[in-house]
Each structure stands twice: as C-alpha cells, then as structure tokens.
Amino acid sequence: MVIVIHQSSDTRSAFLYNEKKVREGVASYFYSANTISINPFMYDQGHRWKILHDIEKPNPRVKKKCLHISVNPSGSDRLKLDDKTIRQEVDRMMEHMGYGSQPYFVYKHQDLERVHFHVVSTRIDRTTGKKIQDGYERLKMQKFVQELEQKYQLKQEITAQLGNLKFTASSGYLKRNLESLFKALNQMDIITSKELYDQALGFFEVQVRKAGRGYLVFLTDQNGAVIRHPMKLSAFEERPRFYLVERQEHANKVLRPERMEIPGRDLKSLILKELIRQIQVQVSGETESRTKKNRLRNSQVKKRRMKF
C-alpha cells in the first residue's frame, strides 16, 4: 500500500483536478464525509467547492491550506480491500491524521493500470477557522500505513521503493536523487525521443524547460504548479541524454527517424517495470557485495585466530 500526501497549496486546483477526471470519465465520485448535504455528489460542482471555500475564505493568509492525499492499493491489496473497506479505512486515516471532523471528498480513479483514490479536504479547521497543526504528517502517515499493512496482511511490493523518486518541496538530497532518476531513464532503450523523455519525467512531476542558452529543472505538483526553486541543468553531472548539448545533434539525427509512439499508460508501465528491475539488480548486487565482504572478514578473523 502506498499513500501519498501531495504538496498542493491551492485547494481549488486539487479539487478541480479531480472534478475534471470525473468529467473525462476516468474517475468517479466515491465517498464524502462531514458535508452540509447528505450526498454532495447529487449537486453540481459549485455546491461541492462552496463547502470547502466557505471554510477557507475567512482565513486568506494561511498558506498550504489544501489537504490532498492519494491512496494507492496494489493489485494484491485490492483482493483484500473492497470498496466498503476502503471507505472505512479512509475515515480511519483522516481521524488518525487529525482531520476526522473535516469535510472531505473521495474520488475513485481508474486512469492508470490500477484503481486508486484521491481525498481532497482543507487544513483550515471548520470550527475554529484556524489551521490544523500539520507537523509530522509524513511520520503519522507512515505509521498508519504500517498498521494498515499489518491489519490486513498486505504484502509490501517493491514498487513502494519507487516512492523515493517522488519529489516534494521539502525533499532532501534533491540533486543526487534527480541525478539517479536521470541515470535510470538514460539507460532505458524504450525512450527514443526527447518527447518520450519529457513524458517520462512528467510521471515523476519533473520538468526540464529552456531558459536562455541553457535549461532549468523544475519540480511541480500534480497540477503542474512549480513547488520549488528551479535548478540549473548544467549543475548536474548526470543529465537527461536528450539535453546534452554535445549529443543533441547526434540524437536528433539517429533517433528521430526511429521515434516510437507509445501510449502514456503503456509508457508508464514500461518505465515502472524497468525501474523495478534496476532496483532488484541493485539490491541483489548490494546483497552479494555484503556477502562477499562478510566472507572475507570471517576468513581474516579465522586466520588471526590460527596465528595465536
């Protein structure tokens, strides 16, 4: 199970993002709680937005009012967590995080390879009008996920390790982790054009944009809004191969005639599978390396003992 707290500062943007997915037919209204109407999904979009907006309006100075969470069960998780259980656990999650009394909307998305859920609410307390304390949210969520996995005996899949490649405004070791992402994508033969590379970066909410003679690397939220100061691409040792000046001309000549058109869903699936493979290779390599070191150390210890 992977649950992500998205860095969305604008509640309206997160709300409209999910409403748009419903209109496009790739999401549906799933659940709501603590709203002024029994079933807010019976009314129009304006009615639902007013519920959140009326709470936030008296406190315009507060930043990061939005609470936007995605709940991403794996295929095996869904065998144990049906829709009724998901509703119950979303309620429990919101209570655990300190938002149990807040109004919130839950959307069921089916635009990826698997079903996942988005929760939209506000960090402004509906009763006091003050911001709910959101310190240590990620630690609280980690604890909740661990309890959830133990409760239902959910299997931890290696895809959870890909969470390290999800960037936020407060991500540490940002340059190093971005270089790891660039390196992983650089090694994928399926990415044969700059357009596909940009699309792949987009899966991780990373953008590379032209700026003067060079390029800047931006981090964005799910709505495309920039969440951190950009970094110069020239400062990176490992760079996207289609943005290397010395290779650009060669890449254009060699790769453009062989450009592959891959649907977004298929491309994302291929990239995730390749990243998983790379992680597995890395993990097995590290394990083998540790085994060799342990054997060598044990051998040295035995030789010292024999001397005495």
Side-chain angles (χ1 to χ4, degrees), residues 105-298:
F105 304 112
V106 186
Y107 301 82
K108 183 178 182 179
H109 289 240
Q110 301 181 71
D111 55 339
L112 298 178
E113 298 83 358
R114 50 176 170 66
V115 173
H116 59 291
F117 305 85
H118 282 246
V119 183
V120 179
S121 185
T122 175
R123 288 189 171 97
I124 303 300
D125 192 295
R126 67 184 303 180
T127 303
T128 66
K130 297 180 180 180
K131 185 180 180 183
I132 296 172
Q133 293 297 320
D134 59 350
Y136 306 104
E137 270 190 351
R138 297 190 180 280
L139 291 177
K140 289 181 182 178
M141 187 62 80
Q142 287 177 9
K143 183 177 179 181
F144 175 79
V145 171
Q146 290 172 357
E147 292 175 354
L148 189 67
E149 290 175 339
Q150 291 175 0
K151 181 178 179 180
Y152 295 98
Q153 295 297 300
L154 303 179
K155 182 181 178 182
Q156 278 194 336
E157 297 187 0
I158 196 168
T159 49
Q161 298 182 46
L162 297 177
N164 294 329
L165 292 174
K166 283 289 186 180
F167 305 104
T168 68
S170 57
S171 291
Y173 305 104
L174 179 60
K175 182 172 177 289
R176 186 179 70 185
N177 289 332
L178 281 169
E179 286 183 333
S180 296
L181 175 59
F182 294 155
K183 183 177 181 179
L185 296 180
N186 285 345
Q187 295 172 356
M188 295 186 189
D189 295 334
I190 59 172
I191 303 178
T192 58
S193 69
K194 182 173 175 293
E195 289 79 7
L196 285 177
Y197 204 108
D198 287 340
Q199 191 175 350
L201 290 176
F203 296 146
F204 302 93
E205 293 163 12
V206 177
Q207 294 181 13
V208 179
R209 303 178 187 173
K210 182 72 175 175
R213 291 185 174 182
Y215 294 92
L216 294 176
V217 180
F218 291 84
L219 298 187
T220 67
D221 60 19
Q222 274 202 326
N223 307 309
V226 177
I227 60 174
R228 189 159 172 166
H229 291 299
M231 304 175 67
K232 290 183 178 180
L233 188 59
S234 58
F236 290 80
E237 293 182 12
E238 183 77 35
R239 307 175 198 172
R241 68 173 184 261
F242 294 98
Y243 289 90
L244 293 173
V245 176
E246 62 271 20
R247 297 183 187 176
Q248 186 64 57
E249 184 177 351
H250 176 71
N252 288 340
K253 289 180 180 178
V254 175
L255 296 174
R256 188 163 292 175
E258 302 176 3
R259 179 182 299 175
M260 298 194 313
E261 295 296 334
I262 304 177
R265 180 180 299 183
D266 294 340
L267 178 62
K268 185 169 186 178
S269 177
L270 290 169
I271 287 173
L272 290 179
K273 287 177 181 178
E274 176 60 19
L275 285 175
I276 290 170
R277 188 193 67 78
Q278 290 182 19
I279 289 173
Q280 288 173 328
V281 170
Q282 180 181 357
V283 170
S284 62
E286 290 174 352
T287 302
E288 184 178 352
S289 177
R290 284 196 296 269
T291 302
K292 288 181 179 179
K293 287 181 180 179
N294 290 335
R295 287 175 180 171
L296 179 61
R297 185 165 53 248
N298 292 335

Side-chain angles (χ1 to χ4, degrees), residues 35-52:
T35 56
I36 57 176
S37 50
I38 296 177
N39 184 4
F41 298 130
M42 292 178 61
Y43 303 90
D44 61 12
Q45 175 180 295
H47 171 82
R48 289 184 289 279
W49 168 238
K50 189 175 186 298
I51 294 173
L52 300 177

